[in-house]
Amino acid sequence: MRLTVLLARSTALAVAAGLIVSGCAGGASYDDDTARDLQQQTLAVTTAAADGDWNAAAMRLMALEADARDAHARGLVSTERLDSIIAAIALVAASVEAERVAAEHAEAERAEREASEQAAREQAAREQAEREQAEREATEGGGNGGGPGSDNGGPPGNPGNGRGGRGNRD
Protein backbone atom coordinates (compact mmCIF):
# COMPACT_ATOMS: atom_id res chain seq x y z
CA MET A 1 0.00 0.00 0.00
CA ARG A 2 2.80 2.41 0.87
CA LEU A 3 4.32 1.97 -2.59
CA THR A 4 0.95 2.70 -4.22
CA VAL A 5 0.57 5.90 -2.19
CA LEU A 6 4.10 7.02 -3.06
CA LEU A 7 3.51 6.29 -6.73
CA ALA A 8 0.25 8.26 -6.72
CA ARG A 9 1.93 11.19 -4.99
CA SER A 10 4.86 11.16 -7.38
CA THR A 11 2.51 11.05 -10.33
CA ALA A 12 0.49 13.98 -8.98
CA LEU A 13 3.64 16.03 -8.48
CA ALA A 14 4.92 15.14 -11.94
CA VAL A 15 1.65 16.19 -13.55
CA ALA A 16 1.59 19.43 -11.58
CA ALA A 17 5.21 20.14 -12.45
CA GLY A 18 4.39 19.42 -16.07
CA LEU A 19 1.79 22.15 -15.90
CA ILE A 20 4.42 24.61 -14.74
CA VAL A 21 6.88 23.50 -17.39
CA SER A 22 4.25 23.88 -20.10
CA GLY A 23 3.45 27.29 -18.70
CA CYS A 24 7.16 28.10 -18.82
CA ALA A 25 7.66 26.96 -22.39
CA GLY A 26 9.09 29.64 -24.62
CA GLY A 27 7.41 30.99 -27.69
CA ALA A 28 5.72 34.19 -28.73
CA SER A 29 4.72 35.02 -25.16
CA TYR A 30 8.32 35.14 -23.90
CA ASP A 31 11.92 34.42 -24.79
CA ASP A 32 13.70 31.07 -24.63
CA ASP A 33 16.24 32.16 -21.97
CA THR A 34 13.47 33.11 -19.56
CA ALA A 35 11.68 29.83 -20.33
CA ARG A 36 14.82 27.79 -19.64
CA ASP A 37 15.41 29.62 -16.35
CA LEU A 38 11.86 29.00 -15.15
CA GLN A 39 12.01 25.36 -16.28
CA GLN A 40 15.23 24.85 -14.30
CA GLN A 41 13.54 26.27 -11.24
CA THR A 42 10.60 23.92 -11.82
CA LEU A 43 13.00 21.00 -11.93
CA ALA A 44 14.48 22.13 -8.60
CA VAL A 45 10.96 22.16 -7.10
CA THR A 46 10.19 18.63 -8.30
CA THR A 47 13.58 17.36 -7.11
CA ALA A 48 13.08 18.82 -3.63
CA ALA A 49 9.56 17.37 -3.47
CA ALA A 50 10.74 13.96 -4.67
CA ASP A 51 13.38 14.01 -1.91
CA GLY A 52 10.69 14.83 0.65
CA ASP A 53 12.25 18.22 1.37
CA TRP A 54 8.91 20.01 1.62
CA ASN A 55 10.33 23.27 2.97
CA ALA A 56 12.82 23.53 0.10
CA ALA A 57 10.08 22.73 -2.42
CA ALA A 58 7.83 25.44 -0.97
CA MET A 59 10.67 27.97 -0.94
CA ARG A 60 11.60 27.15 -4.53
CA LEU A 61 7.96 27.57 -5.59
CA MET A 62 7.90 31.02 -4.01
CA ALA A 63 11.14 31.91 -5.81
CA LEU A 64 9.74 30.59 -9.08
CA GLU A 65 6.63 32.72 -8.70
CA ALA A 66 8.69 35.79 -7.82
CA ASP A 67 10.93 35.27 -10.85
CA ALA A 68 7.95 34.78 -13.15
CA ARG A 69 6.38 37.99 -11.84
CA ASP A 70 9.71 39.79 -12.25
CA ALA A 71 10.04 38.55 -15.84
CA HIS A 72 6.51 39.82 -16.48
CA ALA A 73 7.36 43.22 -14.97
CA ARG A 74 10.39 43.45 -17.27
CA GLY A 75 8.22 42.63 -20.27
CA LEU A 76 9.78 39.18 -20.80
CA VAL A 77 6.56 37.25 -20.07
CA SER A 78 3.06 38.10 -21.32
CA THR A 79 0.19 38.53 -18.86
CA GLU A 80 -1.55 35.46 -20.29
CA ARG A 81 1.56 33.31 -19.84
CA LEU A 82 2.16 34.67 -16.32
CA ASP A 83 -1.41 33.76 -15.36
CA SER A 84 -0.84 30.24 -16.69
CA ILE A 85 2.42 29.89 -14.72
CA ILE A 86 0.88 31.25 -11.50
CA ALA A 87 -2.10 28.87 -11.80
CA ALA A 88 0.27 25.91 -12.29
CA ILE A 89 2.40 27.02 -9.33
CA ALA A 90 -0.72 27.13 -7.15
CA LEU A 91 -1.56 23.53 -8.12
CA VAL A 92 1.96 22.35 -7.36
CA ALA A 93 2.01 24.28 -4.07
CA ALA A 94 -1.22 22.56 -3.02
CA SER A 95 0.22 19.19 -4.01
CA VAL A 96 3.46 19.85 -2.11
CA GLU A 97 1.51 20.90 0.98
CA ALA A 98 -0.63 17.77 0.77
CA GLU A 99 2.53 15.69 0.46
CA ARG A 100 4.08 17.41 3.47
CA VAL A 101 1.01 16.77 5.61
CA ALA A 102 0.83 13.14 4.46
CA ALA A 103 4.54 12.63 5.20
CA GLU A 104 4.17 14.13 8.68
CA HIS A 105 1.12 11.94 9.32
CA ALA A 106 2.99 8.82 8.15
CA GLU A 107 5.95 9.71 10.38
CA ALA A 108 3.66 10.19 13.38
CA GLU A 109 2.04 6.81 12.71
CA ARG A 110 5.46 5.16 12.40
CA ALA A 111 6.64 6.70 15.67
CA GLU A 112 3.44 5.61 17.42
CA ARG A 113 3.79 2.08 16.07
CA GLU A 114 7.44 1.90 17.20
CA ALA A 115 6.52 3.17 20.68
CA SER A 116 3.76 0.57 20.93
CA GLU A 117 6.12 -2.19 19.82
CA GLN A 118 8.73 -1.04 22.35
CA ALA A 119 6.14 -1.04 25.15
CA ALA A 120 5.08 -4.57 24.15
CA ARG A 121 8.73 -5.74 24.20
CA GLU A 122 9.26 -4.20 27.63
CA GLN A 123 6.06 -5.82 28.96
CA ALA A 124 7.13 -9.21 27.58
CA ALA A 125 10.55 -8.81 29.22
CA ARG A 126 8.93 -7.97 32.58
CA GLU A 127 6.63 -10.97 32.33
CA GLN A 128 9.56 -13.24 31.42
CA ALA A 129 11.56 -11.93 34.38
CA GLU A 130 8.59 -12.59 36.68
CA ARG A 131 8.24 -16.17 35.35
CA GLU A 132 11.96 -16.78 35.82
CA GLN A 133 11.81 -15.41 39.37
CA ALA A 134 8.82 -17.62 40.17
CA GLU A 135 10.67 -20.67 38.80
CA ARG A 136 13.77 -19.86 40.88
CA GLU A 137 11.67 -19.52 44.01
CA ALA A 138 9.90 -22.82 43.28
CA THR A 139 13.17 -24.74 42.79
CA GLU A 140 14.81 -23.22 45.89
CA GLY A 141 12.13 -24.58 48.17
CA GLY A 142 10.23 -21.37 48.32
CA GLY A 143 9.32 -21.47 52.01
CA ASN A 144 8.10 -25.09 52.40
CA GLY A 145 9.62 -25.09 55.89
CA GLY A 146 11.51 -27.82 57.74
CA GLY A 147 13.78 -28.79 54.89
CA PRO A 148 17.52 -29.15 55.10
CA GLY A 149 19.08 -26.13 56.68
CA SER A 150 16.04 -25.22 58.75
CA ASP A 151 16.62 -24.26 62.33
CA ASN A 152 14.84 -27.37 63.63
CA GLY A 153 12.87 -25.14 65.89
CA GLY A 154 10.41 -27.74 67.13
CA PRO A 155 7.20 -26.92 68.96
CA PRO A 156 6.46 -23.45 70.32
CA GLY A 157 8.43 -22.71 73.43
CA ASN A 158 11.25 -25.01 72.40
CA PRO A 159 13.93 -22.93 70.69
CA GLY A 160 15.57 -25.98 69.11
CA ASN A 161 19.28 -26.37 68.68
CA GLY A 162 19.77 -23.78 65.92
CA ARG A 163 22.02 -26.14 63.98
CA GLY A 164 19.62 -27.29 61.32
CA GLY A 165 19.67 -30.82 60.08
CA ARG A 166 17.99 -33.60 62.12
CA GLY A 167 18.44 -32.45 65.60
CA ASN A 168 21.09 -32.47 68.26
CA ARG A 169 23.10 -35.70 68.21
CA ASP A 170 25.98 -34.73 70.47
Side-chain angles (χ1 to χ4, degrees), residues 140-154 164-167:
E140 291 174 359
N144 62 0
S150 70
D151 72 355
N152 197 14
R166 294 187 171 218

Side-chain angles (χ1 to χ4, degrees), residues 74-144:
R74 291 184 292 139
L76 299 173
V77 174
S78 71
T79 301
E80 181 181 291
R81 186 64 82 169
L82 176 66
D83 291 345
S84 174
I85 293 169
I86 298 303
I89 288 172
L91 288 173
V92 174
S95 182
V96 166
E97 179 61 15
E99 291 295 315
R100 184 192 62 76
V101 169
E104 287 176 358
H105 181 70
E107 178 59 25
E109 285 179 345
R110 184 197 60 75
E112 184 178 320
R113 187 175 54 253
E114 285 181 1
S116 177
E117 290 169 355
Q118 179 64 27
R121 286 190 296 271
E122 290 171 358
Q123 178 64 28
R126 281 191 299 274
E127 290 172 359
Q128 179 65 27
E130 289 171 2
R131 281 192 298 275
E132 291 172 358
Q133 180 64 29
E135 288 174 9
R136 279 193 300 275
E137 289 174 358
T139 58
E140 291 174 359
N144 62 0

Side-chain angles (χ1 to χ4, degrees), residues 49-77:
D51 291 342
D53 190 347
W54 311 116
N55 291 331
M59 296 296 289
R60 291 181 187 279
L61 279 170
M62 288 189 290
L64 177 59
E65 182 175 347
D67 287 350
R69 289 185 186 281
D70 180 59
H72 176 261
R74 291 184 292 139
L76 299 173
V77 174

